[in-house]
Amino acid sequence: LASIDFQLGCTLQLISIFPEISDGAPNGGDSKKLRVEEAPPSRVIHIRKLPNEASEAEVIALGLPFGKVTNILTLKGKNQAFLEMGTEEAAVTMVNYYSKVTPLIRNIQVFIQYSNHKELKTDAANQRTQAVLQAVSAAQSPGSEVQEVLAAVSSPVLRIIIDNMFYPVTLDVLQQIFSKFGTVMKIITFTKNNQFQALLQFSDPVSAQQAKLALDGQNIYNSCCTLRIDFSKLVNLNVKYNNDKSRDYTRPELPAGDGQPSFDPTVAVAFSKDSSSLLGKIPGALNPLSAAAAAAAAAGRVALTGQTGSSGVLLVSNLNEEVSNTYTRVYGDVQRVKILYNKKDSALIQMSESNQAQLAMSHLNGQKMYGKIIRVTLSKHQTVALPRDGLDDQGLTKDFANSPLHRFKKPGSKNFQNIFPPSATLHLSNIPQDVTEDDLRLLFSNTGGTVKAFKFFQDRKMALIQMSTVEEAIQALIDLHNYNMGGNQHLRVSFSKSTI
């Protein structure tokens, strides 16, 4: 739908038609609010305090979930609009709904009530009015793009993609965000095309429509974790397990599933009540670090109170030292590693910042390697202590603080923009000029996996290589990141969001 701007002159001509806005009160006349709200039900809805840049399409979208829109009149100079519904029943449903759910346009609250008028009598000769009417008609005609959107609105299920996911986004963070618009019934999270995605089911389609209008394109955390929202063709989600990947809030008795941490309802209840650090408003309401700590708390990994959430130390299980160090370096700079004396398959890993620890935990927990499920949680320790002078700890503790191989030392480095969850496709950089495709294929095949595809970038200093499975790609990254290609030139390997 095209945005059609009404000129101030046109607005002034129409003031006499609508006395409820002619008293000169700013932004819709709050002084007249009581009288307007007492108006009897009408097909015509009066909408006040619109954002300056609001379009007719956005105003129409407020009414579309409730029935056919037959006319619209926007008064740009007054930040107001009148929306005529096809039936009085549709208008009543719309007003009743928005009395319980805050109507938003561009994330700004607008105010809705009945108009004193029973129908909109716009000037039929006015070209702009005709253009608006044509836009309304096109929006609801069969085969139109908007009609396809309207058909999707009948689904209470949203498909959510998280772009630029620099901080972890958990299932409970999504529930906390979207529950502001209605009752969230079910959520399923997954990774597709190397992007974190989710399917979220509301109790009704109107709540899904409102959530999409308000949240699409918004950031969960400051300047990152951008929500991309569409309607799903599904009308119901089938959730088999309650864990940190999927949740049916209507069936708390569901099992956790093999290899997955169970869902603790008491943690979710406590989490839902603790809103001091979570999503007071959208967008940019979260402090990234406190939000990430709360996200971890929601998954039952750390306590909801105290300073545990600020820890940059991870507890990693089912990994040896070499694996732990290399693998977590993908998501931040590893400072120290300590193999546990009484549990050699577990290690404490200290990252340079707590948000890096959160990110590593979000992407790595639950991944499969060596046939086992990797477990990554936040540790209660704030730092990894080095052994006292003269004390032999059998080489179980190593300090990497001065390592020249840190990827994220420079503030604002482009490396921060290229952090992705584990995938079958790897990004290679720092490739010597004399190294061929066959050389790299052989090198990666020797890690025990199968190379499915390969592609050099134009300058041949970088390339993409695709393994058969994510597990094979993980193994290849562990074996070959920082591999000496000769002449003290070390290969850089990271996960890629691209496919070949």
Side-chain angles (χ1 to χ4, degrees):
L1 291 176
S3 173
I4 306 168
D5 291 330
F6 281 83
Q7 301 298 318
L8 182 59
C10 178
T11 302
L12 294 175
Q13 292 175 12
L14 293 166
I15 287 178
S16 61
I17 301 176
F18 301 100
E20 60 251 65
I21 64 169
S22 61
D23 63 347
N27 274 339
D30 286 340
S31 63
K32 295 290 184 179
K33 183 177 179 181
L34 180 60
R35 180 170 67 83
V36 173
E37 287 184 343
E38 291 177 347
S42 165
R43 287 196 302 132
V44 181
I45 305 296
H46 182 201
I47 306 171
R48 301 180 295 114
K49 295 196 174 181
L50 292 168
N52 290 331
E53 66 277 14
S55 68
E56 276 76 11
E58 290 170 305
V59 176
I60 292 170
L62 287 174
L64 287 179
F66 306 96
K68 186 175 182 179
V69 177
T70 54
N71 206 347
I72 182 176
L73 176 65
T74 58
L75 306 177
K76 292 289 187 179
K78 290 286 185 177
N79 297 90
Q80 301 182 30
F82 292 86
L83 200 65
E84 182 183 271
M85 303 300 293
T87 65
E88 185 176 298
E89 181 183 4
V92 170
T93 303
M94 177 178 173
V95 171
N96 288 343
Y97 176 78
Y98 288 125
S99 68
K100 300 176 182 177
V101 177
T102 302
L104 300 171
I105 291 182
R106 303 202 174 200
N107 203 42
I108 295 176
Q109 181 179 0
V110 298
F111 297 87
I112 292 177
Q113 62 262 323
Y114 299 114
S115 169
N116 286 327
H117 296 267
K118 297 300 181 183
E119 61 180 335
L120 282 181
K121 296 180 179 179
T122 52
D123 184 359
N126 188 292
Q127 291 183 351
R128 293 185 179 277
T129 302
Q130 287 299 309
V132 174
L133 290 173
Q134 289 174 12
V136 174
S137 175
Q140 299 166 107
S141 62
S144 72
E145 291 182 6
V146 177
Q147 186 64 25
E148 294 179 6
V149 173
L150 292 178
V153 169
S154 62
S155 170
V157 180
L158 296 175
R159 182 173 66 94
I160 304 160
I161 298 175
I162 309 294
D163 283 343
N164 192 23
M165 199 172 86
F166 183 66
Y167 297 106
V169 177
T170 69
L171 183 148
D172 291 277
V173 165
L174 292 175
Q175 193 274 342
Q176 185 79 0
I177 296 170
F178 284 84
S179 63
K180 294 179 180 294
F181 301 91
T183 302
V184 175
M185 309 290 285
K186 306 171 185 177
I187 305 177
I188 298 173
T189 63
F190 55 95
T191 299
K192 183 178 181 181
N193 297 328
N194 299 325
Q195 286 184 306
F196 179 84
Q197 301 189 27
L199 292 171
L200 183 146
Q201 181 178 335
F202 278 102
S203 58
D204 61 273
V206 175
S207 297
Q209 166 76 350
Q210 284 300 302
K212 181 182 184 302
L213 287 174
L215 297 176
D216 187 29
Q218 302 291 348
N219 296 326
I220 298 177
Y221 306 141
N222 294 330
S223 302
C224 66
C225 299
T226 306
L227 292 164
R228 304 297 180 195
I229 305 172
D230 287 307
F231 290 101
S232 171
K233 294 180 180 179
L234 300 173
V235 294
N236 185 55
L237 298 180
N238 182 22
V239 177
K240 297 181 179 180
Y241 304 111
N242 280 341
N243 50 45
D244 58 359
K245 303 292 185 183
S246 62
R247 189 78 49 80
D248 186 338
Y249 294 94
T250 68
R251 301 178 63 194
E253 75 280 0
L254 288 178
D258 294 339
Q260 291 290 340
S262 61
F263 164 54
D264 184 354
T266 60
V267 172
V269 170
F271 174 77
S272 65
K273 294 179 180 178
D274 179 24
S275 59
S276 60
S277 62
L278 284 179
L279 300 165
K281 56 185 178 180
I282 298 288
L286 291 180
N287 174 281
L289 298 188
S290 64
R301 298 184 179 116
V302 296
L304 282 168
T305 57
Q307 300 299 317
T308 308
S310 62
S311 171
V313 179
L314 297 168
L315 174 61
V316 184
S317 306
N318 290 345
L319 296 175
N320 58 40
E321 176 193 4
E322 179 183 358
V323 170
S324 303
N325 179 28
T326 306
Y327 200 15
T328 52
R329 274 185 176 173
V330 176
Y331 300 105
D333 292 332
V334 173
Q335 300 296 302
R336 295 173 182 174
V337 175
K338 182 181 185 67
I339 306 297
L340 300 189
Y341 181 79
N342 293 322
K343 192 172 175 58
K344 296 294 194 296
D345 64 345
S346 299
L348 293 173
I349 300 178
Q350 181 179 335
M351 309 297 288
S352 62
E353 296 181 7
S354 57
N355 65 298
Q356 294 179 1
Q358 298 282 352
L359 192 65
M361 180 179 69
S362 174
H363 286 326
L364 302 182
N365 185 47
Q367 291 291 338
K368 189 176 182 180
M369 190 173 60
Y370 297 125
K372 298 180 180 180
I373 299 295
I374 301 168
R375 287 292 164 227
V376 185
T377 61
L378 290 177
S379 169
K380 64 181 179 180
H381 299 283
Q382 299 300 306
T383 60
V384 172
L386 293 174
R388 295 190 298 271
D389 291 340
L391 179 64
D392 181 14
D393 75 340
Q394 303 177 15
L396 297 178
T397 306
K398 289 190 177 181
D399 189 354
F400 297 95
N402 297 319
S403 171
L405 302 176
H406 288 165
R407 302 182 189 220
F408 307 100
K409 286 190 297 184
K410 296 181 180 179
S413 168
K414 288 185 178 181
N415 289 337
F416 286 107
Q417 302 173 21
N418 296 307
I419 297 175
F420 304 107
S423 64
T425 304
L426 298 171
H427 180 271
L428 315 182
S429 60
N430 205 33
I431 301 172
Q433 288 292 335
D434 58 348
V435 172
T436 66
E437 175 179 339
D438 289 341
D439 293 334
L440 290 169
R441 280 179 173 269
L442 178 61
L443 182 65
F444 278 78
S445 296
N446 287 338
T447 64
T450 301
V451 176
K452 291 187 64 177
F454 182 92
K455 179 183 178 181
F456 261 124
F457 285 58
Q458 189 171 4
D459 62 2
R460 297 182 67 87
K461 294 180 181 179
M462 296 187 292
L464 294 176
I465 190 166
Q466 184 176 339
M467 309 300 289
S468 293
T469 65
V470 174
E471 189 174 358
E472 288 182 3
I474 291 172
Q475 183 63 58
L477 182 147
I478 291 169
D479 290 348
L480 297 177
H481 175 61
N482 194 37
Y483 182 82
N484 192 342
M485 301 293 291
N488 201 31
Q489 196 162 349
H490 294 82
L491 184 67
R492 296 295 183 94
V493 184
S494 59
F495 297 115
S496 173
K497 68 175 181 179
S498 305
T499 56
I500 304 175

